[in-house]
Amino acid sequence: MAGDCIFCKISKGEIPAKKLYEDDELVAFWDTAPQAPIHFLVIPKKHLSGPAGTTAADDQLIGKVLRKGAELAAANGAADCRLVMNNGPEAGQTVFHLHMHVLGGRPMTWPPG
Ligand code: 5GP
Ligand code: ZN
């Protein structure tokens, strides 16, 4: 883990988050600045800086992030949802621990801003 990583701290329970799912590999928790009626994040417990920080060894883990995000969205009433990973500052990434946004509960527009 990266010592000052806020999402590592959430995954270890060192700082609080409103979790909706947890297993040995993943945690999902509600975003504190929601951009839609449903907005939670799915993260691997393993510290990865973002999509560009993964290797082939992470392929199964990242597939699980995607699958669990869609499952949890449906379980929370948002089967139709937007799954987003921001990769790098220009793309809007502000926390450098890989996370997938799951947004739903309202119509989504395209392209994103
Ligand atoms: P990014 O901009 O890196 O793609 O997304 C980071 C997300 O993490 C933002 O939507 C932000 O609101 C959320 N976030 C940042 N710090 C915390 C926190 O301490 N707790 C929770 N639950 N969400 C956070
Ligand atoms: Zn981390």
Side-chain angles (χ1 to χ4, degrees), residues 6-7 10 15-18 29-35 39 41 85-86 92-96 99 101:
I6 192 167
F7 286 179
I10 286 175
I15 63 168
K18 202 175 160 200
F29 54 94
W30 296 99
D31 199 296
T32 46
Q35 303 301 311
H39 185 182
L41 304 172
M85 285 191 195
N86 295 324
Q93 186 177 5
T94 60
V95 177
F96 292 88
H99 53 280
H101 295 261

Side-chain angles (χ1 to χ4, degrees), residues 20 30 36-40 66-84 100-108:
L20 62 153
W30 296 99
I38 301 285
H39 185 182
F40 60 87
L66 189 72
R67 177 174 61 80
K68 271 290 164 194
E71 277 180 19
L72 290 167
N76 283 274
D80 290 2
C81 57
R82 177 73 54 84
L83 308 176
V84 177
M100 185 177 73
H101 295 261
V102 181
L103 299 127
R106 65 166 169 82
M108 297 289 158

Side-chain angles (χ1 to χ4, degrees), residues 20-59:
L20 62 153
Y21 178 79
E22 180 165 15
D23 65 24
D24 56 331
E25 295 179 307
L26 306 182
V27 186
F29 54 94
W30 296 99
D31 199 296
T32 46
Q35 303 301 311
I38 301 285
H39 185 182
F40 60 87
L41 304 172
V42 185
I43 67 168
K45 289 185 171 178
K46 177 183 179 181
H47 180 87
L48 298 162
S49 61
T54 63
T55 70
D58 303 310
D59 286 358

